[in-house]
Amino acid sequence: MHQGEAGRGQFAILALGVALCVGAVALIASFVGDSHPEETIAKLGYTALALTIFGPCAAAGLFLVARRGRLAPFGYLTSAIAILGFVAVTVRLLEGLSIFYGGSAELQAIALALTLTMAQASLALACDRSDDPLMLRLVTLGTVVVILGLGVLGALEAAFDSLRLSDEFFGVLFTLYLLGAALLILFRLGERFIKSRV
């Protein structure tokens, strides 16, 4: 990275930090001056919860970008969907609507389903290596396909009332997802154990 690019990056981070600090000061001032701050605090609590969910998902996309350059577009897409999902939830909160009750929540449900799906797929792909045994690569690929299938189908069900897939179908997908995730963890732990013994 050139000196100029590094300087611009540091300036952008500093500017964002200052903006966040100014926003925090404004919120604190509104709490101190408000005789009934309960509603604002509730909104902030839900916003913090949304950030706790969507933030690591965006980071998972960037982790994939850093680990697997060929899959960078998928990683960037994951981060973008996570950020848009967070914005959708935050806007809904600022409008004074509950995330869970009242009004239409399809957009938030779709964003959450796609974000969690793509983040998990990004993590699985980021840990995949070309020198992995064929069995492990097949388990990774199969798990990613199942994860994406669950997320896309869940988002479609949230978007279209007329689309209702059977519970049995989702049960099979969830079972395959849990199996794939458990096998990936087991194989990775086994790989680390073998390397530590050698």
Side-chain angles (χ1 to χ4, degrees):
M1 181 181 290
H2 298 295
Q3 192 74 18
E5 291 177 1
R8 283 193 297 273
Q10 289 175 341
F11 177 76
I13 290 171
L14 180 62
L16 182 57
V18 169
L20 289 172
C21 289
V22 169
V25 169
L27 276 173
I28 290 169
S30 71
F31 288 140
V32 172
D34 190 357
S35 58
H36 300 288
E38 299 86 4
E39 184 178 336
T40 305
I41 292 172
K43 289 179 182 179
L44 280 177
Y46 280 124
T47 303
L49 177 61
L51 184 60
T52 302
I53 295 170
F54 290 104
C57 292
L62 296 178
F63 181 61
L64 175 60
V65 171
R67 289 286 304 264
R68 304 282 303 277
R70 290 185 305 110
L71 297 174
F74 188 86
Y76 285 126
L77 180 62
T78 299
S79 296
I81 288 176
I83 291 168
L84 290 173
F86 175 70
V87 169
V89 169
T90 304
V91 167
R92 185 174 177 82
L93 287 169
L94 292 177
E95 288 176 347
L97 299 173
S98 166
I99 302 174
F100 305 107
Y101 304 105
S104 172
E106 284 88 359
L107 181 60
Q108 290 73 29
I110 293 167
L112 183 62
L114 290 179
T115 297
L116 292 175
T117 295
M118 295 189 69
Q120 291 181 68
S122 290
L123 287 176
L125 290 170
C127 295
D128 183 42
R129 297 191 308 263
S130 58
D131 61 340
D132 282 337
L134 178 62
M135 180 59 70
L136 181 53
R137 300 206 76 192
L138 289 174
V139 170
T140 300
L141 178 63
T143 304
V144 167
V145 168
V146 170
I147 290 170
L148 291 175
L150 271 172
V152 170
L153 291 173
L156 288 173
E157 275 214 351
F160 302 105
D161 291 334
S162 59
L163 179 63
R164 287 290 171 258
L165 299 172
S166 70
D167 292 338
E168 293 83 1
F169 183 71
F170 274 112
V172 169
L173 283 181
F174 276 120
T175 302
L176 290 175
Y177 162 64
L178 290 173
L179 174 64
L183 286 175
L184 284 176
I185 293 170
L186 181 64
F187 287 161
R188 291 295 178 200
L189 289 176
E191 187 180 55
R192 285 178 180 267
F193 179 75
I194 290 169
K195 284 183 179 177
S196 69
R197 293 291 182 174
V198 174

